[in-house]
Amino acid sequence: MSKGKEADAANAISFVQYELKEILSSFVNGGFSAGGYALYPALKGVSKHLAERLGSLLSFIKKNEESINFRNSLEKYENISKGLNNEKNFAKLLSELYRDFDKNKPAAKKKAVGIKPNVLDDNDYKSDYLKPVLKLKEFSGLRLREYIAGAYVHGSLATLDYIVGWSDFDTLVVVSRHAIADFKRLLELRDLFYASRKFLCEIDPLQHHGHMVFTEYDMDYYCQTFFPLVLFRYSKSLLGPKKLEFELRDCTNENIAKFNWFADYFKSLNGNSKMGSYNAKFLLHAVTLFPTLYLQAKNIHVYKKFSFGIARKDFKPKEWDVIDYVSSLRLNWKSRSNLNPVTSYAKINPLLAYQLNARLRDMNSNIIKLNGISIKKIVDGMKVLAGSAGRKIQLNRARP
């Protein structure tokens, strides 16, 4: 194969890997159709958006057949009798795609890195507020262990510098090869992941994301855009001590694409629009993640809490004001005791229960009013900062 074709194949397989990881993450955390979202567990269909994303990935693969060989996946796709909205069909195709991905990984030499995260100490999590962490640890050991190769708490709950009402419950799970390879196990894992989301929402009823995931298939062709490896140095293992072995690939394109997604999100906002607590919480956390994503787009991978001081140096004080403003909100955060009138229903359909709870909270303790947040100031400031950051990234890419 010529160098040009090798580069085309490497770019194509990297794109497939990134899309597979995003699609898998959505699927195992729910990814339900409207009916499935409302009527789970009676219905478990896949959302139109997620089915379309998988269909688009398969179309991309078909267009790049000269570079990558996903014949088994394409044949399975052609022979399915029902659409991708059917959860069994979706799981079967995901399993086949990962097997084909494994066969197509470039053989080029990569950088090997070994990391052994610390083990979570139960004594640090005995307060009522932190008990959901121990519940998830128990659940992981009893119910998830046969499907996963690792489970970790990261972020402020791992480093114990959390702020009640602000901090969410960040987890990272490595899905095992055998769970991906067997579509029935993948469907079982989906149910277990969804059930365990209640522990995340007990910490933060406004939490937007479920378990962050990647797979054992990814580890010997690892993209740090997924999760920078430095994250593991500050995480806590829920399943005991285990060394993780990675082989790193270049992820420049993915780093920039992820940054651009967030920049576009800020540009799409209207500062004069009304925003509920749920969407406001997403905005605030997106702002605090921005310095990390900016540095990643420059191929600088650092732990989130250290990104602020490093990234600040690249910007004018007025451009950085919005980050300081949101940081001050975090440090002075006000929250009322969690209102959880639908807690019992969360045992059946956790995400819907906590979405309902978020709406009820808005009626009683809207976080915008409680904390005097100026959404307009944040939106306007982030549009300026995102624009400046984008120009700096373009200049950085243009340098030889």
Side-chain angles (χ1 to χ4, degrees):
M1 186 183 290
S2 68
K3 288 186 178 180
K5 287 186 176 180
E6 285 181 0
D8 289 343
N11 288 333
I13 199 64
S14 294
F15 176 80
V16 170
Q17 180 190 24
Y18 192 86
E19 282 296 292
L20 273 178
K21 181 262 175 190
E22 293 292 297
I23 291 168
L24 174 69
S25 180
S26 294
F27 181 67
V28 294
N29 279 292
F32 298 115
S33 62
Y37 177 70
L39 300 175
Y40 180 88
L43 293 177
K44 300 180 183 180
V46 177
S47 73
K48 181 180 177 181
H49 170 74
L50 194 53
E52 288 176 347
R53 188 165 185 176
L54 184 58
S56 295
L57 177 58
L58 287 158
S59 295
F60 173 85
I61 289 170
K62 189 171 180 62
K63 290 177 183 177
N64 287 272
E65 282 186 281
E66 291 186 6
S67 301
I68 53 177
N69 179 7
F70 277 70
R71 190 173 298 113
N72 292 336
S73 297
L74 293 173
E75 287 179 0
K76 188 173 286 290
Y77 181 44
E78 290 171 0
N79 292 326
I80 62 173
S81 58
K82 297 179 182 179
L84 292 178
N85 296 100
N86 176 274
E87 65 273 16
K88 289 183 180 179
N89 285 342
F90 199 96
K92 287 177 180 178
L93 273 168
L94 267 183
S95 294
E96 201 66 62
L97 283 162
Y98 267 103
R99 283 193 288 268
D100 279 342
F101 161 68
D102 200 36
K103 298 172 187 174
N104 278 268
K105 293 175 190 172
K109 187 177 180 180
K110 299 170 285 292
K111 181 181 178 181
V113 178
I115 297 177
K116 189 174 182 179
N118 293 318
V119 177
L120 185 137
D121 184 346
D122 289 12
N123 292 320
D124 292 331
Y125 294 87
K126 289 188 174 180
S127 70
D128 288 342
Y129 176 72
L130 293 176
K131 278 182 180 177
V133 179
L134 297 182
K135 292 179 187 177
L136 178 62
K137 180 183 178 182
E138 181 181 20
F139 186 90
S140 299
L142 294 175
R143 305 291 302 280
L144 293 177
R145 188 183 290 273
E146 64 177 290
Y147 304 90
I148 63 178
Y152 307 90
V153 176
H154 64 96
S156 59
L157 290 189
T159 51
L160 298 174
D161 52 358
Y162 58 87
I163 293 178
V164 175
W166 172 282
S167 298
D168 53 8
F169 191 168
D170 290 322
T171 58
L172 178 56
V173 181
V174 185
V175 182
S176 67
R177 284 175 175 264
H178 67 264
I180 294 289
D182 181 347
F183 84 92
K184 292 180 182 178
R185 283 179 173 269
L186 192 53
L187 289 169
E188 291 167 356
L189 180 62
R190 188 190 191 202
D191 284 334
L192 290 169
F193 264 28
Y194 193 64
S196 67
R197 289 188 70 167
K198 65 178 178 286
F199 305 128
L200 311 188
C201 291
E202 284 177 17
I203 292 283
D204 180 13
L206 299 177
Q207 179 138 340
H208 286 73
H209 60 80
H211 300 292
M212 302 173 189
V213 303
F214 64 91
T215 77
E216 282 190 304
Y217 285 108
D218 296 305
M219 294 179 69
D220 60 353
Y221 192 66
Y222 191 73
C223 171
Q224 288 202 79
T225 313
F226 296 167
F227 311 101
L229 292 193
V230 67
L231 178 150
F232 287 97
R233 302 189 188 281
Y234 295 90
S235 66
K236 301 290 178 61
S237 172
L238 298 176
L239 295 179
K242 181 180 179 181
K243 188 175 183 180
L244 298 170
E245 301 285 352
F246 297 90
E247 290 185 44
L248 307 184
R249 67 167 175 85
D250 179 75
C251 54
T252 301
N253 292 336
E254 290 92 339
N255 285 341
I256 292 172
K258 190 168 185 178
F259 168 84
N260 287 337
W261 188 93
F262 271 83
D264 288 343
Y265 160 71
F266 292 118
K267 292 172 186 176
S268 72
L269 296 175
N270 182 345
N272 294 315
S273 298
K274 290 185 178 180
M275 188 178 286
S277 295
Y278 186 73
N279 289 328
K281 191 77 180 290
F282 180 85
L283 171 62
L284 292 169
H285 280 263
V287 172
T288 60
L289 187 58
F290 191 83
T292 305
L293 297 177
Y294 165 71
L295 293 173
Q296 276 190 186
K298 297 174 67 178
N299 280 326
I300 302 170
H301 296 278
V302 299
Y303 193 61
K304 181 181 174 181
K305 70 159 59 177
F306 305 125
S307 67
F308 296 84
I310 298 170
R312 174 194 293 272
K313 299 172 185 176
D314 287 1
F315 298 93
K316 298 175 182 177
K318 286 188 177 180
E319 293 175 329
W320 196 255
D321 275 350
V322 62
I323 301 293
D324 287 336
Y325 173 62
V326 173
S327 296
S328 70
L329 289 173
R330 176 185 179 276
L331 291 174
N332 298 288
W333 192 251
K334 299 181 182 70
S335 65
R336 293 176 181 166
S337 59
N338 286 344
L339 303 170
N340 292 319
V342 290
T343 299
S344 58
Y345 182 58
K347 296 176 182 178
I348 301 171
N349 190 341
L351 192 53
L352 179 58
Y354 283 98
Q355 287 279 0
L356 293 171
N357 187 54
R359 293 181 181 274
L360 291 170
R361 285 168 62 85
D362 259 355
M363 295 169 60
N364 293 278
S365 58
N366 182 288
I367 64 169
I368 299 172
K369 293 180 180 178
L370 188 62
N371 289 279
I373 301 169
S374 171
I375 297 297
K376 179 173 172 52
K377 181 175 181 176
I378 295 172
V379 170
D380 291 349
M382 286 308 301
K383 286 181 178 180
V384 171
L385 183 61
S388 177
R391 291 188 292 273
K392 293 178 190 302
I393 290 166
Q394 287 180 340
L395 287 172
N396 185 67
R397 292 194 77 185
R399 292 191 184 112

